[in-house]
C-alpha cells in the first residue's frame, strides 16, 4: 500500500515558497484532472451493422478485453446502445446514405453499478460501393467526457470562489465543496473536511455530508500526530497521506472498527495549509473499497485543498476582524460608560447630588445593587442607594454602616483607602439575606490623600465581580471624588463668573430706530469661566448706530480682559472715526500693543454701522476672520455676506474690505459665533448648511427674536439637548417698517 505518493506538488509546509510552487503547478493539476481526449473509429457492415474493424481506443471505450471482438453486430456487442437510440441512428444513415454529425452525445457504457457516463462528438458516414449504394457505416468519435467534466468542475469551483468572495458562512462553503466533489467524481467518494484548532493540535469537524453522523462525532477533536489515522498523520506531517486499504494499515489501528462500521475502506488525506505554511485542517476522500489514487485524484485533492484554504483563511480573517471589533466595541462601551457617568457627575451643583448620580451610574451596569456612604462629623451617612425595585432601594438605603466597626467593610475601606472585594456577603450586620447578596466590592473615594466616602457594589444571584469591573469601579470612584470636590466649589465659582460675564455683555438691548434687535448668549458647560463670545450695540452721531459681534480666543480672565479691551476701544473710537474699517484697525492696534500680561490671544470680529432710511437700513460692515454673516431677504432666501479680512491681534494690517448692503423692511442680518456651526452630535457638526436652512425657515415677516428662536431650536434638536463645547452668541438686526412722518 502507498502512504505518501511521489507526485509533483507541495510535499512540505512552512514556507511561502511551497505555496508559490503549488500555484505554479496549477496547470499541471488541471491537465491531470481534465486528461486528454481520444478518438475512436469503427467500420460497420450491412444493415445489421456488423463490426468489421475498430481501433484500440474504440475497444477500450466500450469495455476493454471482454468486448474486443469483431464479426458480430454492434447492437449485440454493446447492447446498452440500443435503448439509447444509437443503433436507430446507424439505421437511418445506412438507409438514407447521408452522413450525420452529433455534438456532445451522452453515452452510458456498461450496466448497473459499473455503468460509466461518457460524452462524444460523433460523425456517422455511409460506406458506398461503386454504384453509390450503402454497404455499411463508418463511425468516428472524439470523446469529450473530460471537457464536459472540466466545464462542470470549473462551474462548481467558480461557485465556491464566489461564495468565499461574498463571505458566505464557512460551513456552507465547505459543505458545498464536499457535495460538489462527490457529485463530480467518476466513482463514489465521500468527502470530509476537518478544521485545525488554533494551536494545530486537534482537528474539528468541518464538513462531511455523506459520512455517518456517528463517524463524524467520533473523529471530531482527534489529535494531530504520527499514526493517528490518515488525517491526523497528514496534519502532523504537513504532507498528503494515502491509505489504500484501511483494514491493513497501522495508521488506522485505533479507528479500524469505526471505519468498518461506517463502511469505508480507503482514505486519502491532504493537509490544508495557510499561505505561511501553518495548518488549517485536512481534506479527505474516502472510498467504500480499497483503492489507490490516480494522478487525477491527487490533482483534484490539491485543487480543492487550496480552495478550502482560501475559504478558511477568509473565515479566520473575518472572525479576527469581528473579534477586534468586539474588543473595540467593549473598549468604546467602557469609555462611553465612563464619559457618560463623568458627564452626569460633572454637571452636579453640589456634592450630595454628585454621589447620588454615582450610585445611579453604577447600578445595574456594574452591579445590581449600589450604595454610597460619606463621612461627616465623625459619622458615616448613606447618601445614595440604587436597586432594581423601590423596596430593595429603601431597604439598602436604611442600612447605615458603623464608622469604627472592625467587622464592617465600609469602615475598613475608609481606614485603609484600599478597595476590598469578596465573593460572599459583607461582614457585619446588614440586609444581606433579604437582598440575596452574594458578594461585594467596596471602593474608596479619596480627596487629598484621605478617603471621605465609599462606593459599595453588591452582587446578587450568579453575578460576580471580575478585574474588569473592579477597574471600572475604581476609575469611576476617582472621577466621582474629583466631581464631589469640584461641586463644593461650584456655587462660588459660578456666581463669580456670572458677575464678570454680565459686565462684558449688554445689560439690556437699546431701542434702535428702524430696527428690531435681538441677541442670544449661551456659555459652554456650566458657565464656570468667562466665555470668549461678545456683542454690543451702541449709538453714534447723526442717527447712526454701531454693532459688533466677536469671539476671543480662550476663556477665563484673559478672555475677559481681551473682550473688555475690544468693546471699550470700539465704543471709544467709533464716534471719532469715519467708518468700520478705521474702527477695526484701531482695535487691531490696541490688541497688538497690549501688555503681554494681558494675554496674546487673537480675536475674530464683525463690526458695522447702520443708518435708518425711509426704505430700511443702510449697513456698512467689515469682517475680521469671523464666520460669514447671513442676509435673510424678503423672499426668505439666505445670502452669505462675504467681506474678506484677517483675524485681529496677529498682524499689523488685517487687510479689511468693507461691504455695503441694504435691508428692506422684514429683512434680517444674522451675526453668530462658531459655537453655533460647530455644535456637535457625536462626531458630526451642525455646520453652515443647517444654519442656513434654519434661518431660511424662520417665520414670514420674522421678528429678530423669532429668527434667534428658530436657530437655537434647530441647534438644540441637532445636539439632543446635550451640553455644548463652545460659547454661542447671536446678534440679529431686522429692518422694520419706517414710521410715517408727522
Amino acid at each position: 500500500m502507498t502512504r505518501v505518493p511521489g507526485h509533483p506538488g507541495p510535499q512540505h509546509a512552512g514556507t511561502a515558497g511551497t505555496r508559490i510552487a503549488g500555484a505554479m503547478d496549477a496547470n499541471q493539476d488541471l491537465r491531470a484532472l481534465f486528461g486528454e481526449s481520444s478518438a475512436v473509429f469503427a467500420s460497420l457492415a450491412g444493415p445489421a451493422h456488423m463490426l468489421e474493424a475498430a481501433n484500440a481506443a474504440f475497444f477500450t471505450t466500450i469495455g476493454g478485453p471482454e468486448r474486443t471482438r469483431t464479426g458480430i453486430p454492434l447492437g449485440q456487442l454493446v447492447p446498452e446502445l440500443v435503448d439509447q437510440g444509437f443503433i436507430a441512428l446507424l439505421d437511418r444513415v445506412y438507409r438514407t446514405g447521408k452522413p450525420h454529425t452529433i455534438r456532445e452525445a451522452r453515452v452510458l457504457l456498461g450496466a448497473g453499478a459499473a455503468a460509466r457516463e461518457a460524452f462524444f462528438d460523433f460523425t456517422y458516414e455511409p460506406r458506398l460501393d461503386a454504384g453509390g449504394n450503402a454497404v455499411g457505416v463508418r463511425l468516428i468519435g472524439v470523446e469529450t467526457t473530460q471537457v464536459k467534466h472540466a466545464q462542470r468542475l470549473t462551474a462548481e469551483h467558480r461557485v465556491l470562489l464566489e461564495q468565499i468572495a461574498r463571505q458566505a458562512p464557512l460551513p456552507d462553503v465547505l459543505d458545498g465543496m464536499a457535495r460538489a466533489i462527490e457529485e463530480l467524481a467518476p466513482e463514489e467518494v465521500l468527502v470530509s473536511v476537518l478544521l485545525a484548532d488554533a494551536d494545530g493540535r486537534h482537528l474539528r469537524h468541518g464538513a462531511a455530508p455523506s459520512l455517518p453522523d456517528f463517524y463524524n462525532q467520533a473523529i471530531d477533536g482527534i489529535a494531530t500526530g504520527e499514526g493517528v489515522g490518515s488525517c491526523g498523520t497528514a496534519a502532523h506531517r504537513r504532507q498528503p497521506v494515502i491509505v489504500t486499504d484501511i483494514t491493513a494499515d497501522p495508521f488506522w489501528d485505533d479507528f479500524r472498527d469505526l471505519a468498518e462500521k461506517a463502511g469505508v475502506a480507503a482514505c486519502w488525506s491532504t493537509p490544508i495549509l495557510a499561505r505561511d505554511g501553518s495548518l488549517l485542517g485536512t481534506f479527505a476522500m474516502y472510498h467504500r473499497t480499497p483503492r489507490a489514487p490516480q494522478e487525477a485524484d491527487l490533482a483534484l485533492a490539491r485543487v480543492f485543498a487550496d480552495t478550502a484554504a482560501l475559504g478558511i483563511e477568509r473565515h479566520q480573517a473575518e472572525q479576527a476582524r469581528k473579534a477586534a471589533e468586539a474588543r473595540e466595541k467593549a473598549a468604546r462601551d467602557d469609555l462611553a460608560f465612563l464619559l457618560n457617568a463623568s458627564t452626569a457627575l460633572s454637571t452636579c451643583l453640589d456634592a450630595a447630588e454628585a454621589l447620588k448620580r454615582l450610585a445611579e451610574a453604577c447600578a445595574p451596569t456594574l452591579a445590581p445593587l449600589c450604595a454610597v456612604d460619606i463621612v461627616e462629623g465623625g459619622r458615616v451617612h448613606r447618601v445614595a442607594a440604587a436597586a432594581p425595585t423601590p423596596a430593595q432601594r429603601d431597604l439598602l438605603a436604611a442600612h447605615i454602616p458603623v464608622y469604627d466597626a472592625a467587622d464592617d467593610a465600609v469602615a475598613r475601606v475608609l481606614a485603609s483607602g484600599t478597595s476590598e472585594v469578596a465573593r460572599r456577603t459583607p461582614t457585619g450586620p446588614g440586609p444581606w439575606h433579604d437582598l440575596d447578596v452574594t458578594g461585594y466590592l467596596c471602593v474608596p473615594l479619596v480627596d487629598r490623600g484621605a478617603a471621605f466616602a465609599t462606593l459599595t457594589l453588591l452582587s446578587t444571584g450568579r453575578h460576580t465581580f471580575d478585574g474588569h469591573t473592579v477597574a471600572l469601579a475604581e476609575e469611576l470612584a476617582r472621577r466621582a471624588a474629583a466631581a464631589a470636590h469640584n461641586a463644593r466649589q461650584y456655587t462660588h465659582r459660578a456666581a463669580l463668573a456670572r458677575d464678570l460675564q454680565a459686565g462684558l455683555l449688554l445689560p439690556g438691548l437699546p431701542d434702535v430706530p428702524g430696527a428690531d434687535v435681538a441677541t442670544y448668549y449661551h456659555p459652554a458647560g456650566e458657565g464656570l469661566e468667562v466665555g470668549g463670545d461678545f456683542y454690543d450695540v451702541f449709538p453714534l452721531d447723526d442717527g447712526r448706530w454701531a454693532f459688533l459681534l466677536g469671539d476671543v480666543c480662550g476663556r477665563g480672565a484673559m478672555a475677559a480682559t481681551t473682550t473688555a479691551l475690544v468693546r471699550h476701544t470700539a465704543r471709544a473710537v467709533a464716534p471719532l472715526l469715519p467708518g468700520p474699517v478705521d474702527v477695526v484697525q484701531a482695535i487691531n492696534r490696541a490688541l497688538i500693543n497690549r501688555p503681554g500680561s494681558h494675554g496674546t490671544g487673537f480675536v475674530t470680529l464683525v463690526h458695522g454701522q447702520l443708518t435708518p432710511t425711509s426704505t430700511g437700513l443702510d449697513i456698512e460692515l467689515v469682517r475680521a476672520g469671523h464666520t460669514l454673516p447671513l442676509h435673510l431677504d424678503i423672499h426668505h432666501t439666505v445670502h452669505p455676506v462675504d467681506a474678506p479680512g484677517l483675524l485681529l491681534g496677529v498682524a499689523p494690517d488685517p487687510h479689511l474690505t468693507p461691504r455695503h448692503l441694504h435691508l428692506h423692511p422684514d429683512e434680517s442680518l444674522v451675526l453668530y459665533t462658531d459655537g453655533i456651526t460647530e455644535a456637535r452630535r457625536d462626531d458630526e457638526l451642525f455646520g453652515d448648511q443647517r444654519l442656513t436652512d434654519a434661518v431660511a425657515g424662520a417665520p414670514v415677516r420674522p421678528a429678530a427674536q423669532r429668527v434667534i428662536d428658530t436657530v437655537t431650536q434647530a441647534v438644540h434638536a441637532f445636539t439632543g439637548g446635550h451640553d455644548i463645547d463652545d460659547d454661542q452668541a447671536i446678534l440679529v438686526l431686522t429692518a422694520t417698517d419706517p414710521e410715517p412722518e408727522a
Side-chain angles (χ1 to χ4, degrees):
M1 67 188 65
T2 304
R3 291 183 183 145
V4 181
H7 62 86
Q11 296 293 322
H12 301 281
T15 65
T18 301
R19 176 65 66 188
I20 295 172
M24 294 175 63
D25 288 339
N27 288 335
Q28 182 175 345
D29 286 342
L30 292 176
R31 286 195 300 271
L33 281 170
F34 300 159
E36 297 181 1
S37 299
S38 58
V40 299
F41 169 82
S43 181
L44 309 173
H49 311 301
M50 191 77 66
L51 179 62
E52 290 185 336
N55 66 350
F58 177 84
F59 290 114
T60 300
T61 299
I62 65 172
E66 64 275 14
R67 289 185 171 182
T68 307
R69 293 182 293 164
T70 58
I72 61 175
L74 182 62
Q76 295 181 18
L77 181 64
V78 191
E80 62 266 27
L81 295 180
V82 176
D83 292 338
Q84 298 179 56
F86 289 98
I87 302 302
L89 186 58
L90 291 172
D91 290 341
R92 188 175 74 180
V93 173
Y94 180 84
R95 185 176 62 253
T96 63
K98 296 180 179 179
H100 182 79
T101 299
I102 183 170
R103 300 292 184 187
E104 295 188 356
R106 180 176 179 269
V107 186
L108 288 178
L109 298 169
R116 179 176 75 90
E117 180 186 61
F119 293 87
F120 286 87
D121 288 345
F122 282 126
T123 298
Y124 304 92
E125 297 179 351
R127 295 170 53 200
L128 304 177
D129 60 14
N133 299 312
V135 296
V137 178
R138 183 180 297 109
L139 182 150
I140 302 173
V142 177
E143 185 172 1
T144 60
T145 304
Q146 299 292 351
V147 175
K148 196 73 173 178
H149 286 174
Q151 292 171 345
R152 293 167 60 188
L153 176 63
T154 301
E156 294 289 349
H157 195 246
R158 182 173 62 251
V159 169
L160 291 174
L161 293 177
E162 289 174 352
Q163 285 183 310
I164 294 170
R166 67 171 183 265
Q167 297 182 343
L170 182 62
D172 293 351
V173 173
L174 298 181
D175 186 78
M177 182 182 73
R179 293 180 186 277
I181 297 170
E182 291 174 351
E183 181 180 347
L184 291 172
E187 298 184 8
E188 183 183 16
V189 62
L190 294 77
V191 174
S192 169
V193 178
L194 298 178
L195 302 176
D197 282 343
D199 59 6
R201 295 180 179 177
H202 293 85
L203 298 173
R204 302 292 177 182
H205 173 71
S210 299
L211 286 170
D213 289 340
F214 73 84
Y215 185 87
N216 292 328
Q217 294 170 5
I219 66 172
D220 185 21
I222 64 168
T224 61
E226 186 69 16
V228 185
S230 300
C231 295
T233 306
H236 173 69
R237 291 181 176 181
R238 306 293 202 272
Q239 294 178 349
V241 170
I242 307 302
V243 172
T244 60
D245 187 356
I246 289 176
T247 61
D249 195 291
F251 287 174
W252 283 79
D253 287 347
D254 295 334
F255 307 97
R256 191 166 287 115
D257 292 342
L258 180 67
E260 182 180 359
K261 183 179 178 182
V264 293
C267 180
W268 315 333
S269 183
T270 302
I272 303 173
L273 303 177
R275 284 169 291 182
D276 61 0
S278 60
L279 180 68
L280 298 175
T282 59
F283 170 82
M285 301 171 70
Y286 290 85
H287 294 271
R288 297 291 189 186
T289 58
R291 185 171 181 270
Q294 302 297 317
E295 182 60 30
D297 299 316
L298 301 175
L300 184 70
R302 289 194 295 270
V303 168
F304 280 94
D306 285 345
T307 304
L310 181 61
I312 296 170
E313 286 191 289
R314 187 67 175 265
H315 171 75
Q316 290 180 344
E318 180 66 11
Q319 293 300 105
R321 182 187 66 79
K322 290 181 178 179
E325 288 180 351
R327 291 192 298 271
E328 182 182 355
K329 182 181 183 301
R332 287 199 307 269
D333 290 345
D334 289 346
L335 180 59
F337 167 73
L338 290 174
L339 289 176
N340 291 336
S342 298
T343 300
L345 294 170
S346 64
T347 56
C348 297
L349 301 180
D350 58 66
E353 179 65 20
L355 297 179
K356 289 179 182 179
R357 294 190 180 186
L358 172 63
E360 293 170 355
C362 290
T365 303
L366 298 184
L369 304 169
C370 177
V372 179
D373 302 290
I374 189 171
V375 178
E376 289 179 338
R379 298 177 61 85
V380 175
H381 301 275
R382 179 148 291 177
V383 296
T389 67
Q392 290 174 312
R393 184 189 62 230
D394 294 342
L395 185 60
L396 185 60
H399 170 251
I400 305 298
V402 180
Y403 180 42
D404 55 356
D407 65 344
D408 191 278
V410 171
R412 290 194 300 271
V413 171
L414 286 171
S416 66
T418 303
S419 300
E420 185 173 308
V421 61
R423 292 188 177 182
R424 56 175 173 78
T425 59
T427 55
W432 317 131
H433 177 74
D434 293 337
L435 294 173
D436 189 27
V437 174
T438 56
Y440 69 91
L441 168 62
C442 190
V443 180
L445 275 68
V446 179
D447 183 18
R448 288 172 289 187
F452 68 92
T454 61
L455 168 66
T456 303
L457 303 177
L458 299 169
S459 291
T460 60
R462 296 183 178 181
H463 180 275
T464 59
F465 296 108
D466 54 18
H468 173 258
T469 304
V470 173
L472 278 178
E474 290 181 336
E475 176 60 27
L476 189 57
R478 283 192 289 270
R479 300 185 182 204
H485 173 79
N486 293 336
R488 287 191 286 266
Q489 304 179 29
Y490 173 81
T491 302
H492 174 71
R493 292 178 58 190
L496 179 62
R498 283 195 300 269
D499 292 343
L500 184 55
Q501 189 77 60
L504 299 174
L505 298 174
L506 285 173
L509 292 176
D511 185 10
V512 180
D516 179 20
V517 182
T519 60
Y520 170 80
Y521 176 79
H522 184 57
E526 292 296 330
L528 295 180
E529 292 185 326
V530 178
D533 292 1
F534 62 92
Y535 51 79
D536 201 358
V537 180
F538 54 89
L540 300 173
D541 297 334
D542 303 326
R544 294 176 300 129
W545 286 76
F547 61 88
L548 57 91
L549 181 140
D551 188 356
V552 173
C553 175
R555 299 177 59 80
M558 286 298 180
T561 300
T562 303
T563 298
L565 177 62
V566 174
R567 286 191 62 211
H568 294 159
T569 300
R571 281 181 171 261
V573 304
L576 307 175
L577 297 176
V581 172
D582 303 285
V583 173
V584 175
Q585 286 176 339
I587 294 172
N588 187 56
R589 286 193 297 272
L591 289 171
I592 290 176
N593 294 331
R594 64 188 151 168
S597 60
H598 289 188
T600 58
F602 59 82
V603 176
T604 66
L605 181 69
V606 174
H607 168 59
Q609 296 179 2
L610 64 85
T611 303
T613 71
S614 60
T615 60
L617 298 175
D618 280 337
I619 294 177
E620 179 184 2
L621 63 80
V622 293
R623 184 176 68 92
H626 200 74
T627 54
L628 293 175
L630 300 177
H631 174 202
L632 176 63
D633 66 20
I634 194 65
H635 304 292
H636 263 244
T637 302
V638 178
H639 309 278
V641 181
D642 190 11
L646 303 179
L647 48 82
L648 306 179
V650 177
D653 185 1
H655 298 289
L656 303 171
T657 302
R659 176 71 184 274
H660 297 267
L661 67 153
H662 183 78
L663 296 184
H664 295 283
D666 299 322
E667 293 188 343
S668 300
L669 179 66
V670 181
L671 311 181
Y672 57 94
T673 59
D674 59 9
I676 297 293
T677 53
E678 294 181 3
R680 289 183 176 273
R681 178 176 61 196
D682 298 327
D683 294 332
E684 187 178 7
L685 299 180
F686 185 70
D688 296 331
Q689 187 58 52
R690 288 189 178 89
L691 174 59
T692 298
D693 294 342
V695 172
V700 178
R701 300 177 60 87
Q705 186 59 48
R706 295 298 300 275
V707 175
I708 288 179
D709 292 344
T710 302
V711 171
T712 55
Q713 288 168 8
V715 173
H716 186 272
F718 174 77
T719 61
H722 298 303
D723 289 340
I724 59 175
D725 298 327
D726 194 6
D727 303 327
Q728 296 176 346
I730 305 175
L731 170 62
V732 177
L733 304 172
T734 301
T736 60
D737 291 323
E739 296 182 2
E741 297 182 1

